[in-house]
Amino acid sequence: MRIWLSRPHMSGTERRLVEEVFDSNFVAPVGPMLDRFERNFADYLGGGVSCAAVSSGTAALHLALRLKGVEPGSEVWTGSMTFAGGAFPILYQGAQPVFFDLSPTDWTMDADLLEEALRAAARNRSLPQAVVPTDLYGQSVDIDRFESICERYGVALIVDSAESAGAERDGRKAGTGGDAAILSFNGNKIITTSGGGMLVSRDAGLIQRARVLSTQAREPAPHYEHSQLGYNYRMSNLAAAVGVGQLGVLGDRVAARRRLFTRYRDALARPGITFMPEPDGAHSTRWLTVMTVDPDIAGITREDLRLALLAREIESRPMWKPMHMQPLFAGARYVGRRFDEGLFDRGLCLPSGSDLTVSEQDEVIGVILELLDRRIAC
Ligand SMILES: *Cc1c(COP(=O)(O)O)cnc(C)c1O
């Protein structure tokens, strides 16, 4: 592949920070750089949150579910269109997922459907243990609304902000919402630690418990003492050094991805092409530029486009396949009107890395326009 969907983009300071770790010989799962990354991240988010850095976003979500009391027999309600790492941890806890459709207004979990379903569940005394909406493709959910709905029913709210570091909604940063939120620093995300994640909460006690669980639930004793089940989930001090450097350029990375989005949108304003909406009050990072192709109007399908790009060694991808359509989750309950299925059918994520050059983006745009124009001419 010559042009990638989303590549790691170092700022230049990471190498020096990693060298600092080598010089101190804290090439270990804990150390001063890890503390610094957590502190810097909490300062960046503001609002008195605490942070625990872990090995992945998936691990962070697993810890959040466990610490909010999700266990075998409980239900967790989540958006169906998400990455597997946003759904697997529900199964790690032996719980039952229920998958929700997206809202056509912002393409994140539909809060109207949630409210309706919670009202019905409250009547039947069958409320879920937790609700996990996803800040999809760089766009935060309507966090104020989700918080007020979940508070009304006393249901834990865990926000999956894995794709949306740097996003805001109504002046609130992604990662600060709910009882807890998780972020990911996987290699394809807007900032990366090569692999890693963050658990964030205003509940400092919850974060402290997460730190214990993520280091094999060791208790303070000279020998190894355990009274609860733990995990080896802590972020390494070495990876944290990369994170400290990356956090310093998060604002620049958001600006770069938004610039790419605007150029795509302006250049590809053609019948049958639409882009992920950004409602009032939202400031998406445009982690990935997502467009849809209506074959009846555009004369081509999403797949025609993906294959044409691939033939030129340009990576693009369909939107996430909704979890209720995945064989693993066959039989899981689904709530919605199948708006997400239509998006999966027609949606394509375009190369959106913050290091993409103007000429590379022009090449992507050129391939798409060529195909659109050729079909219209026929
Ligand atoms: C990337 C991602 C995760 C998982 O993060 P990892 O760090 O890859 O484990 C979870 N949920 C969503 C929505 C994601 O995009």
Side-chain angles (χ1 to χ4, degrees):
M1 216 64 83
R2 289 181 307 111
I3 299 180
W4 297 90
L5 193 66
S6 179
R7 289 194 314 172
H9 184 185
M10 294 297 109
S11 70
T13 61
E14 293 84 359
R15 195 185 293 266
R16 184 178 53 73
L17 289 156
V18 168
E19 265 167 27
E20 235 178 83
V21 171
F22 271 87
D23 292 344
S24 70
N25 202 32
F26 273 106
V27 184
V30 290
M33 203 57 89
L34 186 65
D35 299 336
R36 185 165 152 195
F37 185 39
E38 289 179 344
R39 241 188 353 261
N40 289 4
F41 217 91
D43 288 347
Y44 153 73
L45 289 174
V49 298
S50 303
C51 295
V54 292
S55 54
S56 70
T58 309
L61 183 56
H62 185 198
L63 291 167
L65 293 173
R66 159 118 180 239
L67 289 164
K68 294 313 290 182
V70 171
E71 52 188 38
S74 31
E75 277 191 2
V76 176
W77 293 6
T78 187
S80 190
M81 182 174 276
T82 188
F83 173 60
F88 284 167
I90 300 169
L91 299 189
Y92 298 167
Q93 283 304 99
Q96 195 77 39
V98 175
F99 295 115
F100 279 70
D101 202 356
L102 301 181
S103 155
T105 49
D106 66 1
W107 298 11
T108 64
M109 184 174 168
D110 193 316
D112 293 332
L113 289 176
L114 172 69
E115 197 167 12
E116 217 174 281
L118 282 174
R119 198 180 305 126
R123 272 198 307 268
N124 302 331
R125 300 178 185 283
S126 59
L127 284 168
Q129 185 66 28
V131 169
V132 184
T134 306
D135 290 343
L136 211 56
Y137 295 115
Q139 178 133 287
S140 292
V141 299
D142 184 348
I143 186 62
D144 290 341
R145 174 128 192 254
F146 274 88
E147 283 181 350
S148 83
I149 294 171
C150 288
E151 259 162 45
R152 194 176 328 139
Y153 292 98
V155 173
L157 176 63
I158 300 165
V159 188
D160 181 347
S161 302
E163 301 178 1
S164 299
E168 289 187 24
R169 186 99 179 218
D170 299 317
R172 295 182 57 187
K173 290 195 178 80
T176 59
D179 296 289
I182 68 110
L183 294 122
S184 166
F185 311 117
N186 192 22
N188 62 353
K189 298 291 177 8
I190 192 162
I191 56 171
T192 183
T193 58
S194 76
M198 193 73 89
L199 177 63
V200 186
S201 179
R202 279 166 290 202
D203 179 350
L206 182 144
I207 294 300
Q208 195 43 45
R209 290 196 293 283
R211 291 198 185 110
V212 172
L213 290 181
S214 66
T215 47
Q216 309 284 27
R218 284 153 61 174
E219 282 159 38
H223 57 273
Y224 287 90
E225 178 83 5
H226 306 275
S227 55
Q228 51 176 347
L229 176 68
Y231 315 94
N232 187 1
Y233 276 174
R234 202 76 164 111
M235 179 180 280
S236 83
N237 197 51
L238 205 49
V242 180
V244 168
Q246 288 274 282
L247 180 59
V249 292
L250 177 56
D252 299 340
R253 298 299 183 251
V254 172
R257 292 198 189 235
R258 285 182 65 88
R259 264 197 310 276
L260 287 168
F261 166 79
T262 304
R263 288 193 81 236
Y264 277 130
R265 187 200 55 199
D266 294 349
L268 300 173
R270 295 293 174 96
I273 303 294
T274 64
F275 290 88
M276 185 172 182
E278 186 181 38
D280 288 344
H283 190 80
S284 169
T285 66
R286 299 292 181 181
W287 169 55
L288 297 180
T289 287
V290 187
M291 63 178 251
T292 62
V293 184
D294 182 339
D296 296 335
I297 303 172
I300 58 169
T301 64
R302 179 283 309 281
E303 205 48 18
D304 293 333
L305 209 50
R306 192 184 69 79
L307 293 172
L309 290 165
L310 188 63
R312 307 281 275 271
E313 295 176 87
I314 299 168
E315 186 186 28
S316 66
R317 264 185 204 280
M319 293 179 75
W320 303 124
K321 181 175 182 177
M323 289 298 143
H324 72 273
M325 300 170 75
Q326 300 282 2
L328 175 68
F329 292 110
R333 189 150 73 90
Y334 171 76
V335 180
R337 310 171 195 88
R338 307 190 185 274
F339 175 71
D340 51 4
E341 293 184 12
L343 286 183
F344 172 59
D345 201 35
R346 296 195 300 271
L348 190 68
C349 305
L350 300 177
S352 304
S354 48
D355 64 341
L356 203 72
T357 64
V358 168
S359 72
E360 284 172 331
Q361 191 184 14
D362 283 343
E363 191 184 333
V364 177
I365 290 168
V367 173
I368 298 172
L369 287 180
E370 193 184 310
L371 197 65
L372 284 170
D373 291 343
R374 184 155 12 112
R375 293 304 160 106
I376 285 163
C378 293

